[in-house]
Amino acid sequence: MDWDSGLLLRKAKVYALRAHDEGIESELFGFWLSLAMELLTRSALAAIHPVLLADPREEGNIHYSFGINPKGNPRSIQAKTVFARCSIFIEGFTDQMVAHCLILADRRNKELHTGAQSFGATDSSTWLPQTYEVMEVVLKSMSVELTNFFGNAHGDLVSSMLKDRRSHIHGEVQKKVAASRKAFGDLKGTEKATRVSGGQHLLAEWAKTSPMNKVCECPACSYSAALTGESLNRGSVKLDENNGLLTRELRVLPNSLRCPTCHLKLDGYQELLQVNLGQVFVTTEEEDPIEFFGIVPEDHVDMDKVLEAYYESQHEYDNE
């Protein structure tokens, strides 16, 4: 089957090696690497099950993923759907990574279908570290080492670039933390007290607005800060027999921190990792029973009678 994970992985490796044989500043480097990225993400989904690659609009595509050849040519999902599904099924594959993959795919399409030099006109330092970061996450999901995918020589280059990227992010985060700590420390007593009390009140209200919101300790001022993120996956729905609520467990990957007290701002999973706030947290969300079960109220309630009773009660009230 053409959607076999091993076949896709081997082809991705071939394209990745072609990219590095061209040299980082070559226009073909980005082109081949963008193809390697899509094939790698397809391989990761196929490793879970090939049905994740099947275009659901035709039954034959789903049959093919189970080894049954359809009458026509089997069709797989588009690249944008591949990346979106990776964010669901691959741990650590963030929404930011989905966006990055979409940008690479768009540049590849422009390279193929227009006269624009989409990769040659772009400095590789603006996209290559993030690309390696995505590839590392996808390879990790399949238990494949960087050196196994890129080869020893190129694998060392990739590892070095990733190390430099993390070192840079770490330095930038430490600067942000230090600047926010100093700015808060320089505040006068009354202003500082007002900032603290006001910030804590705002957090209490904010935390109620979404199950993906969490209150944590700010790494700069040690007061409470707002931590939020993106949904990784949801558990099965459970019924609480005491109150009749439908709830489900929600796993959240944090990607943003805001402190109302010292005004520290951290964006992205990698920045939060530098202050030990990148761990996935588990919370609970409520489900609307009407929406969950697909209930149409009009099918169970005679709206004419409801309106008639309402108007009768209004008429009685007017006559009093």
Side-chain angles (χ1 to χ4, degrees):
M1 181 175 61
D2 292 342
W3 299 349
D4 177 78
S5 177
L7 290 177
L8 289 164
L9 180 61
R10 283 194 288 274
K11 194 171 184 180
K13 287 174 68 173
V14 169
Y15 286 176
L17 291 175
R18 284 183 186 176
H20 288 84
D21 287 343
E22 292 291 339
I24 288 179
E25 299 308 319
S26 168
E27 295 176 10
L28 287 175
F29 175 79
F31 173 73
W32 287 119
L33 203 60
S34 67
L35 291 176
M37 172 74 86
E38 182 176 336
L39 288 166
L40 181 59
T41 51
R42 287 180 182 274
S43 174
L45 290 181
I48 299 169
H49 196 287
V51 75
L52 293 176
L53 297 180
D55 187 333
R57 291 175 294 183
E58 295 288 341
E59 276 191 356
N61 301 327
I62 297 174
H63 297 164
Y64 180 71
S65 68
F66 287 91
I68 301 173
N69 289 321
K71 292 181 180 179
N73 292 324
R75 295 179 63 86
S76 62
I77 54 178
Q78 297 180 358
K80 64 180 181 180
T81 308
V82 170
F83 304 141
R85 289 186 179 177
C86 282
S87 70
I88 297 172
F89 290 96
I90 297 178
E91 187 167 351
F93 200 105
T94 66
D95 288 346
Q96 289 177 320
M97 292 180 176
V98 173
H100 179 73
C101 289
L102 288 172
I103 290 171
L104 278 189
D106 181 63
R107 287 178 182 168
R108 178 200 65 204
N109 291 338
K110 287 179 180 177
E111 191 74 33
L112 285 171
H113 305 297
T114 74
Q117 295 181 332
S118 56
F119 286 107
T122 307
D123 186 351
S124 61
S125 65
T126 63
W127 60 268
L128 186 54
Q130 296 96 314
T131 301
Y132 285 151
E133 192 173 83
V134 176
M135 288 181 149
E136 182 185 38
V137 168
V138 178
L139 288 168
K140 183 180 179 181
S141 75
M142 296 188 288
S143 300
V144 177
E145 298 291 335
L146 286 172
T147 51
N148 180 274
F149 182 75
F150 290 102
N152 289 329
H154 301 317
D156 290 341
L157 170 67
V158 174
S159 296
S160 176
M161 187 171 290
L162 286 171
K163 184 178 179 180
D164 289 345
R165 172 170 166 74
R166 287 173 186 136
S167 177
H168 173 74
I169 293 174
H170 180 76
E172 291 299 309
V173 169
Q174 293 307 309
K175 288 179 183 178
K176 290 182 179 181
V177 170
S180 294
R181 182 181 292 131
K182 183 179 186 305
F184 179 67
D186 289 344
L187 294 177
K188 303 301 181 182
T190 303
E191 187 178 359
K192 184 180 290 187
T194 301
R195 184 86 68 84
V196 171
S197 60
Q200 302 313 295
H201 174 72
L202 287 173
L203 277 176
E205 295 302 314
W206 169 85
K208 301 174 185 177
T209 61
S210 170
M212 288 188 284
N213 294 344
K214 179 183 179 182
V215 175
C216 68
E217 181 180 305
C218 174
C221 67
S222 298
Y223 285 98
S224 295
L227 186 68
T228 190
E230 61 199 62
S231 168
L232 284 178
N233 53 55
R234 289 171 164 83
S236 57
V237 171
K238 297 179 180 179
L239 172 64
D240 189 327
E241 296 182 359
N242 294 323
N243 53 30
L245 292 177
L246 290 178
T247 61
R248 71 165 83 220
E249 192 176 85
L250 180 66
R251 296 177 71 243
V252 180
L253 183 73
N255 61 15
S256 174
L257 179 138
R258 297 289 185 272
C259 180
T261 303
C262 70
H263 293 178
L264 174 66
K265 296 180 180 180
L266 297 179
D267 291 299
Y269 172 66
Q270 292 296 334
E271 287 199 355
L272 292 174
L273 277 179
Q274 309 309 314
V275 291
N276 298 317
L277 289 174
Q279 298 83 3
V280 172
F281 62 88
V282 179
T283 184
T284 301
E285 66 176 352
E286 291 185 15
E287 284 282 354
D288 182 346
I290 292 178
E291 184 177 327
F292 180 77
F293 290 110
I295 297 172
V296 180
E298 289 80 359
D299 294 343
H300 304 275
V301 178
D302 189 330
M303 295 304 296
D304 290 334
K305 288 185 177 180
V306 171
L307 291 172
E308 183 180 339
Y310 172 76
Y311 286 124
E312 287 179 355
S313 66
Q314 289 295 106
H315 181 69
E316 291 174 0
Y317 177 78
D318 292 336
N319 289 334
E320 289 181 358

mmCIF file of all heavy atoms in Angstrom, residues 94-133:
data_model
loop_
_atom_site.group_PDB
_atom_site.id
_atom_site.type_symbol
_atom_site.label_atom_id
_atom_site.label_comp_id
_atom_site.label_asym_id
_atom_site.label_seq_id
_atom_site.Cartn_x
_atom_site.Cartn_y
_atom_site.Cartn_z
ATOM 1 N N THR A 94 2.192 21.513 18.108
ATOM 2 C CA THR A 94 1.362 22.639 18.526
ATOM 3 C C THR A 94 0.665 23.318 17.344
ATOM 4 O O THR A 94 0.990 23.072 16.176
ATOM 5 C CB THR A 94 2.211 23.695 19.256
ATOM 6 O OG1 THR A 94 3.138 24.265 18.306
ATOM 7 C CG2 THR A 94 2.999 23.064 20.410
ATOM 8 N N ASP A 95 -0.281 24.194 17.665
ATOM 9 C CA ASP A 95 -0.954 24.982 16.627
ATOM 10 C C ASP A 95 0.037 25.869 15.888
ATOM 11 O O ASP A 95 -0.121 26.144 14.695
ATOM 12 C CB ASP A 95 -2.054 25.847 17.252
ATOM 13 C CG ASP A 95 -3.250 25.020 17.704
ATOM 14 O OD1 ASP A 95 -3.345 23.845 17.304
ATOM 15 O OD2 ASP A 95 -4.089 25.544 18.459
ATOM 16 N N GLN A 96 1.060 26.338 16.601
ATOM 17 C CA GLN A 96 2.102 27.136 15.946
ATOM 18 C C GLN A 96 2.853 26.301 14.912
ATOM 19 O O GLN A 96 3.237 26.801 13.856
ATOM 20 C CB GLN A 96 3.076 27.675 16.994
ATOM 21 C CG GLN A 96 2.488 28.775 17.867
ATOM 22 C CD GLN A 96 3.453 29.240 18.938
ATOM 23 O OE1 GLN A 96 4.157 28.447 19.538
ATOM 24 N NE2 GLN A 96 3.483 30.539 19.177
ATOM 25 N N MET A 97 3.039 25.028 15.205
ATOM 26 C CA MET A 97 3.703 24.140 14.254
ATOM 27 C C MET A 97 2.828 23.887 13.033
ATOM 28 O O MET A 97 3.325 23.790 11.906
ATOM 29 C CB MET A 97 4.078 22.814 14.930
ATOM 30 C CG MET A 97 5.164 22.949 15.969
ATOM 31 S SD MET A 97 5.589 21.366 16.733
ATOM 32 C CE MET A 97 6.970 21.865 17.788
ATOM 33 N N VAL A 98 1.510 23.779 13.259
ATOM 34 C CA VAL A 98 0.584 23.643 12.139
ATOM 35 C C VAL A 98 0.718 24.848 11.218
ATOM 36 O O VAL A 98 0.824 24.711 9.991
ATOM 37 C CB VAL A 98 -0.877 23.524 12.634
ATOM 38 C CG1 VAL A 98 -1.851 23.561 11.465
ATOM 39 C CG2 VAL A 98 -1.069 22.238 13.426
ATOM 40 N N ALA A 99 0.731 26.036 11.801
ATOM 41 C CA ALA A 99 0.854 27.268 11.014
ATOM 42 C C ALA A 99 2.171 27.299 10.252
ATOM 43 O O ALA A 99 2.209 27.696 9.075
ATOM 44 C CB ALA A 99 0.740 28.483 11.935
ATOM 45 N N HIS A 100 3.248 26.877 10.895
ATOM 46 C CA HIS A 100 4.558 26.864 10.228
ATOM 47 C C HIS A 100 4.555 25.904 9.038
ATOM 48 O O HIS A 100 5.067 26.239 7.965
ATOM 49 C CB HIS A 100 5.644 26.459 11.227
ATOM 50 C CG HIS A 100 7.008 26.400 10.624
ATOM 51 N ND1 HIS A 100 7.720 27.530 10.272
ATOM 52 C CD2 HIS A 100 7.794 25.343 10.268
ATOM 53 C CE1 HIS A 100 8.882 27.183 9.747
ATOM 54 N NE2 HIS A 100 8.942 25.865 9.729
ATOM 55 N N CYS A 101 3.978 24.731 9.218
ATOM 56 C CA CYS A 101 3.919 23.753 8.130
ATOM 57 C C CYS A 101 3.088 24.275 6.962
ATOM 58 O O CYS A 101 3.419 24.046 5.794
ATOM 59 C CB CYS A 101 3.327 22.437 8.630
ATOM 60 S SG CYS A 101 4.406 21.509 9.742
ATOM 61 N N LEU A 102 2.019 24.996 7.272
ATOM 62 C CA LEU A 102 1.183 25.571 6.224
ATOM 63 C C LEU A 102 1.939 26.626 5.426
ATOM 64 O O LEU A 102 1.781 26.731 4.206
ATOM 65 C CB LEU A 102 -0.080 26.174 6.835
ATOM 66 C CG LEU A 102 -1.125 25.176 7.346
ATOM 67 C CD1 LEU A 102 -2.228 25.909 8.094
ATOM 68 C CD2 LEU A 102 -1.704 24.364 6.201
ATOM 69 N N ILE A 103 2.768 27.399 6.117
ATOM 70 C CA ILE A 103 3.579 28.415 5.425
ATOM 71 C C ILE A 103 4.564 27.741 4.477
ATOM 72 O O ILE A 103 4.737 28.163 3.326
ATOM 73 C CB ILE A 103 4.329 29.290 6.450
ATOM 74 C CG1 ILE A 103 3.335 30.180 7.200
ATOM 75 C CG2 ILE A 103 5.383 30.153 5.765
ATOM 76 C CD1 ILE A 103 3.945 30.922 8.369
ATOM 77 N N LEU A 104 5.217 26.667 4.946
ATOM 78 C CA LEU A 104 6.154 25.939 4.090
ATOM 79 C C LEU A 104 5.447 25.356 2.880
ATOM 80 O O LEU A 104 5.957 25.413 1.755
ATOM 81 C CB LEU A 104 6.827 24.805 4.882
ATOM 82 C CG LEU A 104 8.011 25.142 5.771
ATOM 83 C CD1 LEU A 104 8.652 23.852 6.284
ATOM 84 C CD2 LEU A 104 9.052 25.976 5.039
ATOM 85 N N ALA A 105 4.270 24.765 3.101
ATOM 86 C CA ALA A 105 3.516 24.169 1.995
ATOM 87 C C ALA A 105 3.100 25.241 0.987
ATOM 88 O O ALA A 105 3.117 25.008 -0.228
ATOM 89 C CB ALA A 105 2.293 23.433 2.531
ATOM 90 N N ASP A 106 2.736 26.420 1.481
ATOM 91 C CA ASP A 106 2.346 27.520 0.594
ATOM 92 C C ASP A 106 3.535 27.977 -0.245
ATOM 93 O O ASP A 106 3.392 28.231 -1.454
ATOM 94 C CB ASP A 106 1.801 28.682 1.426
ATOM 95 C CG ASP A 106 1.348 29.848 0.558
ATOM 96 O OD1 ASP A 106 0.411 29.660 -0.232
ATOM 97 O OD2 ASP A 106 1.932 30.947 0.676
ATOM 98 N N ARG A 107 4.699 28.062 0.359
ATOM 99 C CA ARG A 107 5.897 28.453 -0.397
ATOM 100 C C ARG A 107 6.238 27.413 -1.453
ATOM 101 O O ARG A 107 6.630 27.735 -2.572
ATOM 102 C CB ARG A 107 7.083 28.635 0.554
ATOM 103 C CG ARG A 107 6.990 29.893 1.398
ATOM 104 C CD ARG A 107 8.162 30.009 2.346
ATOM 105 N NE ARG A 107 8.045 31.185 3.187
ATOM 106 C CZ ARG A 107 8.798 31.420 4.252
ATOM 107 N NH1 ARG A 107 9.733 30.542 4.602
ATOM 108 N NH2 ARG A 107 8.631 32.510 4.961
ATOM 109 N N ARG A 108 6.059 26.140 -1.093
ATOM 110 C CA ARG A 108 6.328 25.065 -2.053
ATOM 111 C C ARG A 108 5.385 25.168 -3.244
ATOM 112 O O ARG A 108 5.789 25.025 -4.402
ATOM 113 C CB ARG A 108 6.163 23.717 -1.369
ATOM 114 C CG ARG A 108 6.386 22.518 -2.300
ATOM 115 C CD ARG A 108 5.756 21.280 -1.724
ATOM 116 N NE ARG A 108 4.305 21.409 -1.657
ATOM 117 C CZ ARG A 108 3.564 20.718 -0.822
ATOM 118 N NH1 ARG A 108 4.099 19.889 0.052
ATOM 119 N NH2 ARG A 108 2.244 20.865 -0.836
ATOM 120 N N ASN A 109 4.108 25.432 -2.974
ATOM 121 C CA ASN A 109 3.130 25.546 -4.055
ATOM 122 C C ASN A 109 3.433 26.732 -4.962
ATOM 123 O O ASN A 109 3.265 26.652 -6.184
ATOM 124 C CB ASN A 109 1.715 25.675 -3.468
ATOM 125 C CG ASN A 109 1.252 24.391 -2.814
ATOM 126 O OD1 ASN A 109 1.756 23.306 -3.114
ATOM 127 N ND2 ASN A 109 0.291 24.499 -1.907
ATOM 128 N N LYS A 110 3.869 27.839 -4.362
ATOM 129 C CA LYS A 110 4.253 28.994 -5.174
ATOM 130 C C LYS A 110 5.472 28.680 -6.036
ATOM 131 O O LYS A 110 5.568 29.136 -7.180
ATOM 132 C CB LYS A 110 4.537 30.192 -4.265
ATOM 133 C CG LYS A 110 3.290 30.814 -3.655
ATOM 134 C CD LYS A 110 3.633 31.979 -2.746
ATOM 135 C CE LYS A 110 2.364 32.597 -2.149
ATOM 136 N NZ LYS A 110 2.676 33.699 -1.209
ATOM 137 N N GLU A 111 6.396 27.903 -5.475
ATOM 138 C CA GLU A 111 7.585 27.499 -6.226
ATOM 139 C C GLU A 111 7.203 26.652 -7.434
ATOM 140 O O GLU A 111 7.789 26.762 -8.511
ATOM 141 C CB GLU A 111 8.522 26.705 -5.308
ATOM 142 C CG GLU A 111 9.909 26.450 -5.877
ATOM 143 C CD GLU A 111 10.794 27.694 -5.880
ATOM 144 O OE1 GLU A 111 10.670 28.533 -4.985
ATOM 145 O OE2 GLU A 111 11.621 27.794 -6.823
ATOM 146 N N LEU A 112 6.183 25.809 -7.263
ATOM 147 C CA LEU A 112 5.758 24.902 -8.326
ATOM 148 C C LEU A 112 4.849 25.563 -9.355
ATOM 149 O O LEU A 112 4.923 25.245 -10.543
ATOM 150 C CB LEU A 112 5.026 23.695 -7.723
ATOM 151 C CG LEU A 112 5.881 22.635 -7.031
ATOM 152 C CD1 LEU A 112 4.987 21.635 -6.315
ATOM 153 C CD2 LEU A 112 6.765 21.916 -8.043
ATOM 154 N N HIS A 113 3.984 26.457 -8.897
ATOM 155 C CA HIS A 113 2.903 26.924 -9.760
ATOM 156 C C HIS A 113 2.984 28.384 -10.163
ATOM 157 O O HIS A 113 2.105 28.866 -10.894
ATOM 158 C CB HIS A 113 1.557 26.672 -9.067
ATOM 159 C CG HIS A 113 1.349 25.243 -8.660
ATOM 160 N ND1 HIS A 113 1.280 24.217 -9.579
ATOM 161 C CD2 HIS A 113 1.216 24.665 -7.440
ATOM 162 C CE1 HIS A 113 1.097 23.061 -8.941
ATOM 163 N NE2 HIS A 113 1.067 23.310 -7.642
ATOM 164 N N THR A 114 3.992 29.120 -9.688
ATOM 165 C CA THR A 114 4.119 30.532 -10.057
ATOM 166 C C THR A 114 5.566 30.834 -10.466
ATOM 167 O O THR A 114 6.446 29.974 -10.368
ATOM 168 C CB THR A 114 3.736 31.462 -8.880
ATOM 169 O OG1 THR A 114 4.783 31.436 -7.893
ATOM 170 C CG2 THR A 114 2.431 31.025 -8.231
ATOM 171 N N GLY A 115 5.767 32.067 -10.897
ATOM 172 C CA GLY A 115 7.119 32.471 -11.264
ATOM 173 C C GLY A 115 7.923 33.007 -10.087
ATOM 174 O O GLY A 115 9.085 33.407 -10.239
ATOM 175 N N ALA A 116 7.325 33.010 -8.896
ATOM 176 C CA ALA A 116 7.998 33.546 -7.711
ATOM 177 C C ALA A 116 9.079 32.601 -7.214
ATOM 178 O O ALA A 116 8.945 31.377 -7.296
ATOM 179 C CB ALA A 116 6.980 33.783 -6.601
ATOM 180 N N GLN A 117 10.162 33.172 -6.678
ATOM 181 C CA GLN A 117 11.230 32.389 -6.052
ATOM 182 C C GLN A 117 10.965 32.392 -4.546
ATOM 183 O O GLN A 117 11.553 33.154 -3.799
ATOM 184 C CB GLN A 117 12.594 32.985 -6.385
ATOM 185 C CG GLN A 117 12.937 32.912 -7.868
ATOM 186 C CD GLN A 117 14.298 33.493 -8.173
ATOM 187 O OE1 GLN A 117 14.770 34.377 -7.461
ATOM 188 N NE2 GLN A 117 14.929 33.008 -9.222
ATOM 189 N N SER A 118 10.089 31.531 -4.128
ATOM 190 C CA SER A 118 9.578 31.595 -2.762
ATOM 191 C C SER A 118 10.600 31.224 -1.703
ATOM 192 O O SER A 118 10.566 31.732 -0.584
ATOM 193 C CB SER A 118 8.345 30.708 -2.624
ATOM 194 O OG SER A 118 8.642 29.386 -3.016
ATOM 195 N N PHE A 119 11.515 30.317 -2.009
ATOM 196 C CA PHE A 119 12.523 29.921 -1.015
ATOM 197 C C PHE A 119 13.818 30.719 -1.173
ATOM 198 O O PHE A 119 14.438 31.100 -0.193
ATOM 199 C CB PHE A 119 12.824 28.429 -1.126
ATOM 200 C CG PHE A 119 11.728 27.557 -0.585
ATOM 201 C CD1 PHE A 119 10.910 26.845 -1.435
ATOM 202 C CD2 PHE A 119 11.498 27.467 0.782
ATOM 203 C CE1 PHE A 119 9.885 26.050 -0.944
ATOM 204 C CE2 PHE A 119 10.476 26.678 1.286
ATOM 205 C CZ PHE A 119 9.670 25.963 0.415
ATOM 206 N N GLY A 120 14.202 30.991 -2.419
ATOM 207 C CA GLY A 120 15.450 31.715 -2.652
ATOM 208 C C GLY A 120 15.410 33.132 -2.122
ATOM 209 O O GLY A 120 16.441 33.698 -1.754
ATOM 210 N N ALA A 121 14.206 33.716 -2.057
ATOM 211 C CA ALA A 121 14.070 35.096 -1.600
ATOM 212 C C ALA A 121 13.918 35.208 -0.085
ATOM 213 O O ALA A 121 13.770 36.303 0.442
ATOM 214 C CB ALA A 121 12.856 35.738 -2.281
ATOM 215 N N THR A 122 13.951 34.073 0.619
ATOM 216 C CA THR A 122 13.736 34.067 2.064
ATOM 217 C C THR A 122 14.967 33.572 2.801
ATOM 218 O O THR A 122 15.518 32.516 2.453
ATOM 219 C CB THR A 122 12.536 33.166 2.431
ATOM 220 O OG1 THR A 122 11.406 33.555 1.655
ATOM 221 C CG2 THR A 122 12.206 33.274 3.902
ATOM 222 N N ASP A 123 15.416 34.307 3.792
ATOM 223 C CA ASP A 123 16.567 33.905 4.606
ATOM 224 C C ASP A 123 16.210 32.627 5.364
ATOM 225 O O ASP A 123 15.210 32.580 6.084
ATOM 226 C CB ASP A 123 16.918 35.032 5.586
ATOM 227 C CG ASP A 123 18.189 34.744 6.376
ATOM 228 O OD1 ASP A 123 18.700 33.605 6.296
ATOM 229 O OD2 ASP A 123 18.648 35.646 7.082
ATOM 230 N N SER A 124 17.020 31.585 5.222
ATOM 231 C CA SER A 124 16.726 30.291 5.854
ATOM 232 C C SER A 124 16.675 30.383 7.380
ATOM 233 O O SER A 124 15.992 29.579 8.028
ATOM 234 C CB SER A 124 17.761 29.244 5.436
ATOM 235 O OG SER A 124 19.070 29.638 5.840
ATOM 236 N N SER A 125 17.360 31.359 7.946
ATOM 237 C CA SER A 125 17.370 31.475 9.409
ATOM 238 C C SER A 125 15.990 31.841 9.965
ATOM 239 O O SER A 125 15.727 31.656 11.148
ATOM 240 C CB SER A 125 18.390 32.524 9.857
ATOM 241 O OG SER A 125 18.018 33.820 9.411
ATOM 242 N N THR A 126 15.095 32.346 9.097
ATOM 243 C CA THR A 126 13.764 32.739 9.548
ATOM 244 C C THR A 126 12.797 31.560 9.612
ATOM 245 O O THR A 126 11.715 31.684 10.206
ATOM 246 C CB THR A 126 13.164 33.812 8.623
ATOM 247 O OG1 THR A 126 13.000 33.258 7.297
ATOM 248 C CG2 THR A 126 14.070 35.030 8.543
ATOM 249 N N TRP A 127 13.168 30.429 8.976
ATOM 250 C CA TRP A 127 12.230 29.302 8.970
ATOM 251 C C TRP A 127 12.868 27.943 9.270
ATOM 252 O O TRP A 127 12.186 27.015 9.703
ATOM 253 C CB TRP A 127 11.501 29.211 7.623
ATOM 254 C CG TRP A 127 12.415 29.012 6.440
ATOM 255 C CD1 TRP A 127 12.968 29.974 5.657
ATOM 256 C CD2 TRP A 127 12.872 27.759 5.909
ATOM 257 N NE1 TRP A 127 13.745 29.425 4.672
ATOM 258 C CE2 TRP A 127 13.704 28.046 4.800
ATOM 259 C CE3 TRP A 127 12.669 26.431 6.247
ATOM 260 C CZ2 TRP A 127 14.330 27.064 4.034
ATOM 261 C CZ3 TRP A 127 13.289 25.438 5.488
ATOM 262 C CH2 TRP A 127 14.110 25.758 4.401
ATOM 263 N N LEU A 128 14.176 27.819 9.060
ATOM 264 C CA LEU A 128 14.806 26.506 9.193
ATOM 265 C C LEU A 128 14.813 25.963 10.626
ATOM 266 O O LEU A 128 14.497 24.776 10.842
ATOM 267 C CB LEU A 128 16.228 26.553 8.624
ATOM 268 C CG LEU A 128 16.969 25.220 8.563
ATOM 269 C CD1 LEU A 128 16.160 24.177 7.809
ATOM 270 C CD2 LEU A 128 18.341 25.404 7.908
ATOM 271 N N PRO A 129 15.171 26.762 11.644
ATOM 272 C CA PRO A 129 15.160 26.207 13.010
ATOM 273 C C PRO A 129 13.789 25.670 13.421
ATOM 274 O O PRO A 129 13.688 24.601 14.024
ATOM 275 C CB PRO A 129 15.577 27.401 13.876
ATOM 276 C CG PRO A 129 16.358 28.285 12.960
ATOM 277 C CD PRO A 129 15.682 28.153 11.629
ATOM 278 N N GLN A 130 12.728 26.409 13.056
ATOM 279 C CA GLN A 130 11.381 25.952 13.394
ATOM 280 C C GLN A 130 11.037 24.664 12.646
ATOM 281 O O GLN A 130 10.363 23.779 13.171
ATOM 282 C CB GLN A 130 10.346 27.032 13.053
ATOM 283 C CG GLN A 130 10.505 28.310 13.859
ATOM 284 C CD GLN A 130 11.298 29.361 13.106
ATOM 285 O OE1 GLN A 130 12.341 29.071 12.525
ATOM 286 N NE2 GLN A 130 10.797 30.581 13.112
ATOM 287 N N THR A 131 11.524 24.550 11.402
ATOM 288 C CA THR A 131 11.265 23.354 10.606
ATOM 289 C C THR A 131 11.916 22.136 11.247
ATOM 290 O O THR A 131 11.291 21.068 11.373
ATOM 291 C CB THR A 131 11.798 23.540 9.168
ATOM 292 O OG1 THR A 131 11.156 24.665 8.561
ATOM 293 C CG2 THR A 131 11.535 22.291 8.330
ATOM 294 N N TYR A 132 13.147 22.279 11.669
ATOM 295 C CA TYR A 132 13.829 21.172 12.352
ATOM 296 C C TYR A 132 13.125 20.815 13.661
ATOM 297 O O TYR A 132 13.055 19.653 14.048
ATOM 298 C CB TYR A 132 15.281 21.555 12.639
ATOM 299 C CG TYR A 132 16.188 21.526 11.440
ATOM 300 C CD1 TYR A 132 17.310 22.373 11.355
ATOM 301 C CD2 TYR A 132 15.974 20.651 10.388
ATOM 302 C CE1 TYR A 132 18.162 22.346 10.266
ATOM 303 C CE2 TYR A 132 16.820 20.627 9.284
ATOM 304 C CZ TYR A 132 17.909 21.475 9.233
ATOM 305 O OH TYR A 132 18.764 21.446 8.164
ATOM 306 N N GLU A 133 12.603 21.834 14.324
ATOM 307 C CA GLU A 133 11.903 21.618 15.591
ATOM 308 C C GLU A 133 10.655 20.751 15.370
ATOM 309 O O GLU A 133 10.376 19.823 16.138
ATOM 310 C CB GLU A 133 11.505 22.973 16.172
ATOM 311 C CG GLU A 133 11.021 22.942 17.607
ATOM 312 C CD GLU A 133 10.827 24.358 18.120
ATOM 313 O OE1 GLU A 133 9.759 24.950 17.856
ATOM 314 O OE2 GLU A 133 11.752 24.881 18.749
#
